[in-house]
Amino acid sequence: MKRIAIDIRSLLEPQPGGVSTYARELTRALCARGEAEHVLFSNAWKGNTAPARDFDQAAERAFFSYPSRFLNAGFRLGWPRLETLIGDFDALWMPNLNFMSTRKPYAVTVHDLSFMRHPRFFTAKQRAWHAAVGVRGLVRGAAQVIAVSEHTKSDVMEEFGVAPERVTVVTPAAAARYAPAPEDEIARVRAAHGLGTAPYFLFLGAIEPRKNVRGLIEAYERCATDADLVIAGPRGWLCEDVFVRAARSPKRDRIRFLGAVAEADKPALYSGAIAFTYPSFYEGFGMPPLEAMACGTPVVTSRVSSLGEVVGDAGLLADPHDAQEIAAAMDAAANDRVLRTMLRERGLARARGFTWEKSAETLGKTLLGICR
């Protein structure tokens, strides 16, 4: 049986996001298939036992506690190689771009190329990190590139000159817990977050420039619908202008910032919203709209990058640069009963088409295909 290494360092992120969810859920689904032996690689100077609770005993663990800056520098210089640390393996899957050194065939997942296409959305430190990783060499050296959407596949081919047959699309999915929540659970989550009984539009995600939260606030000010705007998610970077904009808004008393929300609360938070609003400037995939659809919530999102690919005809698409167009879509999703019912039914059906098991089947075949 082939032995496949999986890099799960992304599970050590202090605030789990789409990348860590993708790595965790696909690793679980891959291990459950039983087509290969798996060894999970992780490293952190402190707290490196955290990923162990995410997996059963079916996978071997190779967790190290080297100072990351020194190990990353070694990987960048070509020593040690991963096989020196964890023993022989036939192929490696990297669920995200990261420092790595190996002579074995590997597949690397590219979630998006926002750091190349829109560098203004990132801090100088983040841009320096991507430069140090050597993304171009990492992608071009891969036996197979995994893209999370057709849009990202197109970006990879255009940016790095990778042939289409070397890029496989393996999409994320919504976890099983994302489903329409019962009224009592919605009431519990409303009370826990002090939301009262007023209707609300919802944004859920890290607050960072790419997500266009400032533009969402401007659109909300133009809405005719009598509802609150709930913004849930951790502070990201370069986001202070969002809070300044909200504080100066004529609707400031109806704009609520919840901060990071517990995973267990998210399905009810989605389910209780009159519409989920996600006018991002650029996404490699866009998991929050998919999760909202799985909860039966109408979605208003952008018609750019991958978002139309994710929601299809199950959501309302708007120009993220046009606040009036976003506002009109928000009002339509909130007030047109026939449209709301249609969006709910289409969203539930579309979300069912994305599963971790289906994605793991594609990924598993790809990894076995690059084994030597």
Side-chain angles (χ1 to χ4, degrees), residues 111 147-154 169-171 283-285 306 309:
H111 290 267
V148 296
S149 65
E150 292 292 342
H151 176 267
T152 297
K153 177 176 179 175
S154 177
V169 175
V170 178
T171 66
E283 294 291 327
F285 181 79
S306 64
E309 181 183 338

Side-chain angles (χ1 to χ4, degrees), residues 35-369:
E35 296 175 324
E37 295 177 351
H38 296 93
V39 53
L40 310 182
F41 163 72
S42 184
N43 177 77
W45 178 238
K46 296 179 180 179
N48 198 27
T49 60
R53 62 176 176 263
D54 288 314
F55 306 101
D56 58 26
Q57 299 300 316
E60 178 186 345
R61 294 163 174 75
F63 294 175
F64 300 92
S65 297
Y66 300 114
S68 292
R69 67 179 64 184
F70 294 121
L71 183 62
N72 290 344
F75 279 161
R76 192 73 176 93
L77 295 172
W79 191 92
R81 302 192 190 280
L82 185 61
E83 48 269 36
T84 303
L85 293 176
I86 69 173
D88 194 34
F89 56 87
D90 298 289
L92 163 69
W93 174 45
M94 299 177 63
N96 63 308
L97 300 168
N98 209 336
F99 292 91
M100 182 53 66
S101 175
T102 182
R103 286 180 173 166
K104 299 291 184 176
Y106 65 89
V108 59
T109 294
V110 177
H111 290 267
D112 65 70
L113 294 181
S114 55
F115 58 93
M116 300 182 76
R117 295 297 174 96
H118 301 284
R120 68 185 185 280
F121 293 153
F122 295 86
T123 66
K125 182 178 180 180
Q126 289 169 322
R127 294 195 296 270
W129 186 90
H130 281 103
V133 166
V135 173
R136 191 170 298 275
L138 188 65
V139 171
R140 287 180 171 174
Q144 197 73 13
V145 180
I146 307 298
V148 296
S149 65
E150 292 292 342
H151 176 267
T152 297
K153 177 176 179 175
S154 177
D155 275 0
V156 167
M157 291 164 52
E158 180 179 333
E159 190 68 42
F160 302 114
V162 179
E165 62 271 15
R166 286 185 53 220
V167 188
T168 300
V169 175
V170 178
T171 66
R177 66 177 175 276
Y178 290 104
E183 289 300 323
D184 60 341
E185 176 64 6
I186 294 174
R188 181 194 71 78
V189 169
R190 274 181 171 272
H193 294 282
L195 297 182
T197 59
Y200 63 88
F201 294 107
L202 175 67
F203 168 88
L204 195 157
I207 302 174
E208 57 176 276
R210 180 163 56 102
K211 304 299 182 181
N212 194 24
V213 181
R214 183 183 173 120
L216 173 59
I217 293 171
E218 182 180 349
Y220 171 63
E221 292 169 351
R222 302 186 183 200
C223 283
T225 303
D226 184 23
D228 293 347
L229 174 62
V230 174
I231 300 171
R235 287 176 179 248
W237 51 88
L238 303 178
C239 63
E240 289 308 315
D241 64 321
V242 171
F243 297 94
V244 171
R245 182 70 176 80
R248 294 175 178 172
S249 171
K251 290 187 175 182
R252 57 185 173 274
D253 293 338
R254 305 203 68 175
I255 300 174
R256 304 292 307 281
F257 288 94
L258 302 188
V261 175
E263 291 296 316
D265 288 353
K266 289 180 181 179
L269 198 61
Y270 281 126
S271 298
I274 55 174
F276 179 68
T277 52
Y278 200 75
S280 179
F281 289 124
Y282 179 97
E283 294 291 327
F285 181 79
M287 289 182 68
L290 180 62
E291 293 168 351
M293 290 191 297
C295 293
T297 303
V299 170
V300 174
T301 190
S302 303
R303 65 166 59 96
V304 299
S305 63
S306 64
L307 290 162
E309 181 183 338
V310 174
V311 303
D313 64 355
L316 300 181
L317 305 181
D319 180 349
H321 299 278
D322 190 332
Q324 186 56 49
E325 188 174 340
I326 299 169
M330 292 167 69
D331 281 332
N335 300 322
D336 187 329
R337 185 170 298 180
V338 174
L339 177 62
R340 284 182 58 78
T341 300
M342 182 185 72
L343 292 176
R344 173 183 172 85
E345 293 174 351
R346 287 183 177 179
L348 288 168
R350 187 161 185 86
R352 286 193 291 269
F354 296 85
T355 70
W356 293 114
E357 291 74 21
K358 185 189 301 183
S359 294
E361 179 181 3
T362 301
L363 178 59
K365 290 179 179 178
T366 300
L367 293 174
L368 289 174

